[in-house]
Amino acid sequence: MKNSKLWLSIGISIVAISVSAQQDLNSEVNNINLSYSKTTSIVFPYAIKSVDKGSAEILVQKAKGVENILFLKAGRQNFAQTNLTVVTADGKLYGFILNFDQLCPTLHLKAELVSNFNTEALFSSENENQKQIRHYAELALSKIKKVSGLRSNKFSVDLRVNGIFIHHDMMYFRVRLANNSRINYDLDQLRFFIRDQNKSKRTAVQELEIVPVFCSSELSTIKDHSEITLVFAIPKFTIAERKLLSVELTEKNAGRHLELNIKNTDLMNLEIL
């Protein structure tokens, strides 16, 4: 009986020490030391949507051309301790404590290590949660069901929409690109337009570009004799009478351009995710 109590006491002590050590580690990770002469960078797993600094004495800037890296620097020597709050596109809320340390500043930090990043932020309907969109894009990518007849083929390059899906207010277009030629296809743009069904030389073509909010993969080149499948997430829409959805694929500094047209009837049998 005494041995049982002894082992129980030891077990409780080990758990307490482990929890205390984890708390100390989390606290240390959440604390960032800034310098007046050196830049601190924080890398987030998703794009930064909102930044709030507790003091004007902190300089904050997103990296140019990148959506998920934040640069920090002290705007004044020996500033008072303050905080930083960041919201990212996957709905996560990050909190940091900022201190001044000229000699040993934090130079680089990955936000995944922060202890309280599980707090969820709720975005408005106009700003969909990117993590959720990514999930359903991956689901659309893995679906077996395909649509047929939506294809354009020229110059040994094949553009095909082989799946159209919907989840709530977001539509997902699965696009297959194949290069059957011996020359790499350097992609310039893949764009979506709502435009007039009948083009006339005497009248201006009315068109409206629809910009995807998400693409399942970055793509710059389709290598010779290769193919790739992408999923584009687009806020839901319908096609008016005498209009169509045009998918345009253009090659950089070259002439192998393809166009694929989708009618309103093609959207009637889309699959619900």
Side-chain angles (χ1 to χ4, degrees):
M1 185 69 177
K2 290 182 179 179
N3 288 339
S4 299
K5 290 183 177 179
L6 176 61
W7 283 111
L8 179 61
S9 177
I10 292 174
I12 293 173
S13 299
I14 292 174
V15 171
I17 293 172
S18 176
V19 170
S20 176
Q22 184 64 40
Q23 288 176 343
D24 291 342
L25 177 61
N26 289 338
S27 177
E28 181 179 345
V29 170
N30 278 66
N31 278 270
I32 298 178
N33 296 328
L34 300 183
S35 165
Y36 185 76
S37 58
K38 296 179 181 179
T39 300
T40 297
S41 62
I42 309 177
V43 180
F44 295 88
Y46 286 86
I48 299 165
K49 288 294 185 180
S50 174
V51 178
D52 182 78
K53 55 183 183 178
S55 171
E57 297 175 343
I58 305 300
L59 304 179
V60 179
Q61 178 182 322
K62 284 206 302 184
K64 291 183 179 180
V66 182
E67 294 294 325
N68 67 321
I69 298 179
L70 199 64
F71 292 145
L72 306 176
K73 183 182 287 188
R76 186 182 71 84
Q77 299 272 7
N78 300 311
F79 64 81
Q81 184 183 80
T82 185
N83 72 312
L84 177 75
T85 303
V86 179
V87 177
T88 53
D90 59 337
K92 293 298 188 298
L93 178 69
Y94 297 79
F96 304 92
I97 299 298
L98 307 181
N99 302 285
F100 183 81
D101 191 331
Q102 182 63 22
L103 297 179
C104 299
T106 305
L107 297 179
H108 180 74
L109 176 67
K110 289 187 176 181
E112 292 96 328
L113 301 176
V114 177
S115 62
N116 62 341
F117 79 105
N118 287 320
T119 304
E120 296 287 346
L122 180 63
F123 292 153
S124 66
S125 58
E126 291 79 16
N127 188 10
E128 288 285 343
N129 188 312
Q130 190 175 358
K131 185 177 181 180
Q132 183 184 56
I133 293 175
R134 179 184 293 272
H135 168 74
Y136 285 102
E138 292 174 352
L139 185 60
L141 195 62
S142 65
K143 283 286 186 178
I144 298 176
K145 183 178 179 180
K146 296 182 178 180
V147 297
S148 59
L150 302 179
R151 180 186 181 188
S152 176
N153 189 301
K154 289 182 180 179
F155 318 109
S156 297
V157 178
D158 189 78
L159 166 64
R160 183 179 304 187
V161 173
N162 63 6
I164 305 176
F165 309 88
I166 189 169
H167 177 78
H168 291 172
D169 293 333
M170 197 65 60
M171 299 173 70
Y172 298 85
F173 289 79
R174 189 172 62 201
V175 180
R176 175 185 175 272
L177 304 173
N179 179 13
N180 300 311
S181 73
R182 297 181 178 180
I183 304 173
N184 289 349
Y185 189 97
D186 295 321
L187 183 69
D188 183 25
Q189 291 180 326
L190 195 153
R191 305 169 73 187
F192 297 81
F193 293 91
I194 296 289
R195 58 173 42 139
D196 296 335
Q197 190 169 358
N198 297 317
K199 297 181 181 179
S200 173
K201 294 182 179 180
R202 292 179 167 230
T203 59
V205 176
Q206 298 294 321
E207 62 180 32
L208 172 66
E209 182 173 5
I210 299 178
V211 181
V213 299
F214 177 82
C215 178
S216 59
S217 178
E218 293 185 5
L219 177 65
S220 59
T221 300
I222 311 170
K223 294 187 178 297
D224 60 289
H225 294 96
S226 68
E227 65 177 59
I228 187 170
T229 300
L230 309 171
V231 173
F232 294 88
I234 298 175
K236 70 176 183 180
F237 64 92
T238 56
I239 303 174
E241 188 178 0
R242 298 180 182 177
K243 299 276 187 179
L244 51 79
L245 174 67
S246 179
V247 183
E248 290 187 353
L249 177 69
T250 57
E251 184 178 17
K252 188 179 298 181
N253 301 322
R256 293 184 291 179
H257 305 327
L258 283 78
E259 180 177 331
L260 184 154
N261 294 323
I262 300 174
K263 298 179 181 179
N264 199 36
T265 53
D266 297 318
L267 301 180
M268 294 298 99
N269 295 321
L270 50 74
E271 182 178 352
I272 299 175
L273 295 174

